[in-house]
Amino acid sequence: MTEPSITGIKRLFCNPQNAQVNLLLNSMKQDLQQVKDEQALYRLMRPALSFKGKIGYNNTLQWWLVALGALMLLLFYGIDQGMPTVELLPAWAAEPVWHLLRFIYDLPFGPWSSGALLIAIGLLVIIKRRSRLKGLTQAIWQKNLLLDNQLTQVNTNPDAQADSYKARFHEFHRGNHRQSIDYLCRGHYPGEQHQFDFEAFDFHYVDKHTTTTTDSKGRSSTRTTYTHYHRYGVILPFGYVKDLSVLGYSSSGHRGTKWQPASLDFRRAYTARATSEMTAARFFKPAVVEILLHLKDQLRQVNLEFNSAGDLCITIADNDLLSTPCPVALDEPQQLLKVLKEETRLEKLDALLHTAHQLMVYNDNNF
């Protein structure tokens, strides 16, 4: 084999482009953990901006594996159907190819497994590489969202944090299998009349269902399924009302007197409960009813719960409360840097915090 051929094979299996991309991604991922401000985030992009060539993996080898696997499946299909396959090859190649196919055909898992395995390996590597690029892009974007919205991510035990919230609010009494807080961050709302700290979260809960069936011969089988759900929201100190709930989405454990304001739209949108009619009457001023109806039009499945300590928990079903997809990929570093330098607000989070501030304004003693 000539030297150029050896070099070509080495490039195929040990592609320098892929090695450089791996080095870049590893470096940026490590540096991202140290980013504390916007200027540091912009500096993080420098290696990507100076990267020679396109930031992307060379998947030539993987696509060849996919093509080879597909060809093998086609050949074995032709053999099974009695179609001429090896016979179409030149005489010098027909016999060795036939012996190779015969060997593969007699493998314990059948002839299809080898072709399917090559396709699976090739596609899995391609998908993993694309996922890695996309994952780093989104991680950079998520850091940018935190900085633009003055939020600080909190590292906590997901299950323990859910248990802590569950002890404070009925909203977290969901899921018969598991509850966790998959994402948590903290911030401060500088309202004109009220300022408050808050926690924003992604609440993940799982329902487990086990069903047993019996066939016609009396044999029983058991099947277990897990259904995953997410609720997103904020928790903050309120102080102006306690033990009151406004539910636009089913939740268990809420007690108290059912309150029905005059507004038919409100009755259709929410179920409200309070410790007494007096508590509800003081809270549900006409302006408050309008505020809650407006919130329902902006967001999905809105729940508000004021606990016995006067803390407020608002949850919704919108999964873009704390995160949005990045509009630009890392393989376009100039464009990515441009959008990073623009302020991107989490509009639904702003809506929740603005609503909480309005509720404070209409329920404090100065109103």
Side-chain angles (χ1 to χ4, degrees):
M1 185 177 291
T2 62
E3 182 61 29
S5 299
I6 295 175
T7 303
I9 293 176
K10 285 183 177 179
R11 286 180 178 176
L12 184 63
F13 286 92
C14 304
N15 192 285
Q17 166 78 8
N18 294 343
Q20 291 298 317
V21 172
N22 280 329
L23 185 63
L24 174 68
L25 298 188
N26 289 336
S27 176
M28 292 185 70
K29 183 178 180 180
Q30 184 175 358
D31 292 343
L32 181 61
Q33 300 175 6
Q34 310 303 320
V35 170
K36 303 298 182 184
D37 55 48
E38 292 180 346
Q39 294 303 316
L41 186 65
Y42 304 153
R43 290 195 297 272
L44 176 75
M45 293 296 299
R46 288 177 181 173
L49 293 169
S50 61
F51 189 82
K52 295 181 179 179
K54 186 177 179 64
I55 301 176
Y57 287 99
N58 185 319
N59 294 313
T60 302
L61 173 60
Q62 286 68 38
W63 284 119
W64 273 110
L65 290 178
V66 172
L68 179 59
L71 178 61
M72 291 175 64
L73 293 181
L74 184 62
L75 285 173
F76 288 125
Y77 176 78
I79 292 173
D80 286 344
Q81 298 298 316
M83 298 169 59
T85 52
V86 178
E87 293 84 351
L88 300 177
L89 297 174
W92 61 269
E95 184 174 354
V97 170
W98 173 255
H99 286 300
L100 176 61
L101 292 178
R102 191 75 254 175
F103 170 76
I104 297 175
Y105 205 88
D106 292 334
L107 289 174
F109 295 102
W112 305 94
S113 60
S114 55
L117 181 62
L118 288 178
I119 294 174
I121 292 175
L123 291 179
L124 284 174
V125 172
I126 293 171
I127 292 171
K128 183 178 179 181
R129 286 174 172 176
R130 289 180 178 176
S131 177
R132 192 178 183 205
L133 276 167
K134 184 178 180 180
L136 180 58
T137 301
Q138 189 59 33
I140 294 171
W141 180 245
Q142 192 64 32
K143 176 67 73 172
N144 176 66
L145 291 176
L146 290 173
L147 294 172
D148 283 352
N149 292 272
Q150 296 80 50
L151 298 172
T152 302
Q153 185 176 352
V154 180
N155 294 320
T156 185
N157 182 292
D159 296 346
Q161 188 65 47
D163 289 339
S164 175
Y165 284 167
K166 188 176 181 180
R168 298 169 58 194
F169 297 96
H170 295 293
E171 176 64 31
F172 299 94
H173 289 242
R174 299 180 183 273
N176 62 10
H177 179 64
R178 188 191 173 197
Q179 304 86 28
S180 63
I181 301 298
D182 288 358
Y183 187 71
L184 178 66
C185 53
R186 294 191 176 117
H188 180 78
Y189 184 79
E192 293 183 2
Q193 298 185 43
H194 297 276
Q195 300 81 40
F196 52 84
D197 295 328
F198 65 88
E199 293 181 340
F201 57 84
D202 170 1
F203 172 45
H204 173 206
Y205 61 98
V206 184
D207 278 332
K208 178 181 178 181
H209 303 280
T210 301
T211 56
T212 301
T213 58
T214 304
D215 62 18
S216 59
K217 296 182 179 180
R219 295 173 298 189
S220 61
S221 60
T222 301
R223 180 170 178 262
T224 301
T225 59
Y226 299 89
T227 308
H228 296 257
Y229 302 92
H230 288 264
R231 297 280 292 167
Y232 309 86
V234 296
I235 290 175
L236 55 103
F238 190 81
Y240 300 109
V241 66
K242 298 179 180 180
D243 295 318
L244 183 146
S245 58
V246 185
L247 307 177
Y249 180 66
S250 62
S251 181
S252 62
H254 298 273
R255 299 177 180 177
T257 303
K258 187 175 181 180
W259 175 257
Q260 292 186 327
S263 170
L264 293 178
D265 290 336
F266 185 92
R267 295 184 191 185
R268 285 191 288 264
Y270 296 108
T271 298
R273 292 189 178 276
T275 52
S276 68
E277 290 189 3
M278 183 63 70
T279 298
R282 283 198 299 262
F283 178 78
F284 287 108
K285 301 174 179 68
V288 168
V289 170
E290 290 302 318
I291 289 169
L292 295 176
L293 286 175
H294 180 63
L295 185 64
K296 183 266 301 182
D297 292 336
Q298 292 178 283
L299 305 167
R300 295 186 300 120
Q301 300 178 355
V302 179
N303 278 359
L304 297 93
E305 180 182 353
F306 303 85
N307 68 7
S308 58
D311 295 329
L312 168 60
C313 174
I314 312 178
T315 59
I316 60 174
D318 301 71
N319 61 7
D320 54 350
L321 178 72
L322 298 173
S323 180
T324 60
C326 184
V328 184
L330 185 60
D331 60 4
E332 297 179 286
Q334 290 283 1
Q335 292 300 316
L336 179 56
L337 180 61
K338 181 180 178 180
V339 297
L340 291 178
K341 289 185 175 182
E342 299 171 355
E343 184 180 46
T344 304
R345 299 297 306 175
L346 291 167
E347 295 180 358
K348 293 184 178 179
L349 177 61
D350 287 341
L352 284 190
L353 298 174
H354 177 66
T355 297
H357 182 263
Q358 284 183 302
L359 295 178
M360 289 181 180
V361 170
Y362 284 102
N363 281 277
D364 65 19
N365 295 328
N366 296 322
F367 176 74

